[in-house]
Each structure stands twice: as structure tokens, then as C-alpha cells.
Amino acid sequence: AQSVTQLGSHVSVSEGALVLLRCNYSSSVPPYLFWYVQYPNQGLQLLLKYTTGATLVKGINGFEAEFKKSETSFHLTKPSAHMSDAAEYFCAVSGSGGGADGLTFGKGTHLIIQP
Amino acid sequence: GAGVSQSPSNKVTEKGKDVELRCDPISGHTALYWYRQSLGQGLEFLIYFQGNSAPDKSGLPSDRFSAERTGGSVSTLTIQRTQQEDSAVYLCASMSSGGRVNEQFFGPGTRLTVL
């Protein structure tokens, strides 16, 4: 069984400031971890994923995340926020690798960018 | 098509009616997933298809929910005798292989409102 906890349902940062969205997971098997972004009235778009190998993963739009097994975390960061980053962000975990168990999502974090 | 498409985009129905939601995956994608996104429950995994087969239907919320996939392509999610708690956005995703961890591509969703 897996679970995902995203700390903070809403995060507000100023334009140009660091973005940090927190994600902690629980998994009984080595996890596969994902961050998705959802813009209003749209589906989910993959930002980045961790499967195996390098623990620092770079994604689209300047986002990156670091897998820390000892902390069971997969926090998402971006050095400088842009107004276009305002959206809902979801962390997700999959345990099977083969995809048969689907993705288990966190509750989501709404990112607000202040001008 | 270029991406996953879902129809209808919006569906308003009366309590007790049956509804059918359709998903057209990306051509050639063998894996297909249904998720439900609601305010109270967040994003929930419902069911997974590998080809036309759904090995595990335990994620469906109740026996009023059923899903099928024909020809390894289009999938339909049917909700019988709809209830108000069925109101949600139903998301479909497809993936190129069921044997590897890969990216799930999401459709824009069908927003179901049960009056």
C-alpha cells in the first residue's frame, strides 16, 4: 500500500522567489514518484518523475525534485517563480512499476504567485 | 489524435439516471486508466486496463460503476442510477506500455454534475 502527503493545501510566493512544495510518501516497495501540474479546467501534465538512478530529477518549466529515501520525501522546487506557475500541483507514487496499481496522489497544493 | 480525449466535457444529469463517459486514448497506448477527482476525496484511482482486460476492479466505488474497453482503444465508464456523491471530474489517462514505468498522459476530464 502507498500513500502521499502534501504539506500545505495552499502555498503563496512572490514572483521571482523560491518555490518549495513538499511531498512525503509511504510505500512498502521501492517507489516510483511523480509530480503533476493541473491548470484550471485541464488535465494533469507530468512535470517530472523519479524511477531509479540519480536522485535529483529535472523536469519541465525549470522545476526539479530530489528523492530522499531516508526522509521518504520528494519535494518540488523552482529557483524563481513565474506568474505562469500558478496552478495545482500533485505528487504521486506508484509501487508496481508496471502501472497496474495506478497512481496514488496527494491531495494537491495550490500554488499562488504574488506579483 | 495527438492526445487523450474525453467526451462529453460536461455532463449534467438527474439523480437516478445512467451516464456513460468516453475516453479515447493516444493511439497505440496499451494501458488505460480511469481516475475520479472530487473536492472531498482528491484524485482516486478507479480502474486500469491492459489491452481490453481489467485485472482488478476493486477500485470502482460501487457496483453501480462499470468500465469496458474494446479493441484495445476506446473505453467507456458507465455509472448506473447516479447519486449526488458521484458528482466529480472523471479523468482518463493512457500509457504506452503496461510493462514499464512510463508517463501517463491525461485527458481533460469529464465534469459530471448529478442534480
Side-chain angles (χ1 to χ4, degrees):
Chain A
Q2 304 120 52
S3 66
V4 175
T5 302
Q6 290 183 240
L7 288 176
S9 59
H10 291 77
V11 170
S12 179
V13 302
S14 299
E15 190 175 16
L18 171 71
V19 175
L20 171 60
L21 304 183
R22 298 178 187 275
C23 172
N24 288 89
Y25 70 90
S26 172
S27 177
S28 56
V29 296
Y32 300 89
L33 295 158
F34 307 81
W35 275 99
Y36 280 85
V37 61
Q38 186 178 35
Y39 298 100
N41 299 313
Q42 295 186 27
L44 281 74
Q45 180 184 9
L46 182 69
L47 280 176
L48 48 78
K49 64 182 179 184
Y50 168 79
T51 56
T52 59
T55 56
L56 182 62
V57 180
K58 295 186 183 299
I60 62 171
N61 302 338
F63 284 94
E64 62 183 37
E66 186 171 12
F67 169 61
K68 292 187 177 181
K69 183 178 178 180
S70 61
E71 298 177 8
T72 61
S73 69
F74 191 57
H75 301 330
L76 181 70
T77 60
K78 181 175 180 177
S80 177
H82 192 272
M83 295 299 291
S84 62
D85 294 328
E88 191 83 13
Y89 291 79
F90 294 93
C91 181
V93 63
S94 171
S96 71
D101 60 348
L103 293 170
T104 299
F105 286 90
K107 296 291 188 185
T109 298
H110 185 63
L111 178 62
I112 301 162
I113 309 297
Q114 305 280 4
Chain B
V4 178
S5 61
Q6 293 184 245
S7 61
S9 55
N10 280 283
K11 177 71 176 179
V12 180
T13 190
E14 293 179 348
K15 177 181 173 181
K17 300 283 189 182
D18 297 352
V19 295
E20 194 172 274
L21 312 181
R22 176 187 169 107
C23 172
D24 275 278
I26 293 172
S27 178
H29 279 194
T30 57
L32 185 146
Y33 304 80
W34 283 99
Y35 295 85
R36 179 169 70 174
Q37 185 174 23
S38 59
L39 282 176
Q41 300 297 323
L43 274 156
E44 305 169 83
F45 166 65
L46 299 180
I47 193 168
Y48 156 76
F49 286 91
Q50 177 56 34
N52 293 334
S53 174
D56 183 2
K57 300 181 180 180
S58 63
L60 295 175
S62 76
D63 58 9
R64 296 184 293 103
F65 286 70
S66 62
E68 66 175 14
R69 189 179 184 194
T70 55
S73 180
V74 171
S75 176
T76 55
L77 178 69
T78 301
I79 310 173
Q80 295 178 310
R81 305 180 303 282
T82 52
Q83 303 295 311
Q84 288 183 332
E85 61 262 28
D86 299 334
S87 296
V89 176
Y90 290 83
L91 293 167
C92 174
S94 70
M95 192 169 78
S96 64
S97 170
R100 299 183 305 144
V101 178
N102 213 327
E103 177 180 352
Q104 292 186 26
F105 291 84
F106 282 80
T110 293
R111 182 175 297 277
L112 175 65
T113 303
V114 182
L115 301 177

